[in-house]
Amino acid sequence: MRQTLRLHPDSLCAAATKIELEIARPRSNSLILSYVVSGKIGDLLMPPVAAAARADELWQHTCFEAFVRPSAGPGYYEFNFSPSTQWAAYQFSGYRSGMRVATEIGAPRIEVRSSGESYTLQAALEVDGLSSSLHLGLSVVLEETNGRKSYWALAHPPGKPNFHHADCFALELS
């Protein structure tokens, strides 16, 4: 399933012209997310590939994100995937509340490819206990070499960028 992310109306981005996302769910407990950024990739600040490891505050720089909520209940997961292949997984009991590191989540498999006009980050993850129906919020923070950040998502709530908001969980996946 292919989706296109939208630039937040208060964001500017000279480097990226489009972000598309291919979503696959080969099994009930797994997701494969392939983010494709088109534009002047050399104008994006991308950390170099390093050893894949869990890390915090990845969202403060270029970061690819997925918010996953089962259909029932207010709880959800947040996944952060860095171009460095560092990653994070958190679980929330409700909107921005009850946050904890989701230590039960194993390391996702992250692969990156880049050319002058296209950048792809693919993340494959497994989460035991997911329900058959999920609501996904898919987003990207891009940092340009000039320091400007832009915020991309399937949908944006009114006001400043807020990927945790219920409006962002715009895709239902069965």
Side-chain angles (χ1 to χ4, degrees):
M1 168 184 306
R2 184 173 293 271
Q3 298 288 312
T4 300
L5 300 186
R6 296 179 3 197
L7 179 63
H8 187 274
D10 295 337
S11 288
L12 296 174
C13 187
T17 56
K18 179 169 57 171
I19 301 178
E20 291 184 309
L21 184 60
E22 186 70 33
I23 304 118
R25 191 174 185 190
R27 295 177 310 283
S28 64
N29 69 333
S30 67
L31 286 171
I32 300 173
L33 306 168
S34 298
Y35 300 81
V36 180
V37 180
S38 300
K40 299 178 202 167
I41 303 307
D43 290 345
L44 293 173
L45 192 56
M46 298 286 198
V49 173
R54 196 181 287 258
D56 289 320
E57 299 190 6
L58 296 173
W59 51 268
Q60 298 217 28
H61 300 285
T62 296
C63 186
F64 299 79
E65 301 183 345
F67 293 80
V68 179
R69 186 183 73 216
S71 288
Y76 60 95
Y77 287 97
E78 174 185 350
F79 299 96
N80 303 151
F81 312 111
S82 170
S84 70
T85 71
Q86 292 179 311
W87 61 279
Y90 306 99
Q91 187 172 27
F92 292 80
S93 58
Y95 174 72
R96 291 191 180 266
S97 65
M99 178 182 157
R100 69 171 185 80
V101 173
T103 56
E104 72 277 11
I105 304 292
R109 192 176 64 252
I110 301 172
E111 298 174 8
V112 297
R113 293 185 309 278
S114 184
S115 70
E117 296 174 9
S118 177
Y119 181 88
T120 302
L121 181 141
Q122 182 178 76
L125 55 106
E126 294 193 15
V127 182
D128 289 332
L130 288 180
S131 64
S132 60
S133 183
L134 303 173
H135 291 274
L136 302 179
L138 303 165
S139 53
V140 174
V141 175
L142 291 180
E143 184 175 13
E144 295 178 79
T145 54
N146 63 11
R148 179 174 48 210
K149 293 180 186 172
S150 59
Y151 303 90
W152 303 72
L154 289 173
H156 294 281
K160 66 181 184 175
N162 180 359
F163 300 147
H164 291 257
H165 192 279
D167 289 355
C168 289
F169 288 83
L171 179 64
E172 187 169 353
L173 190 62
S174 297

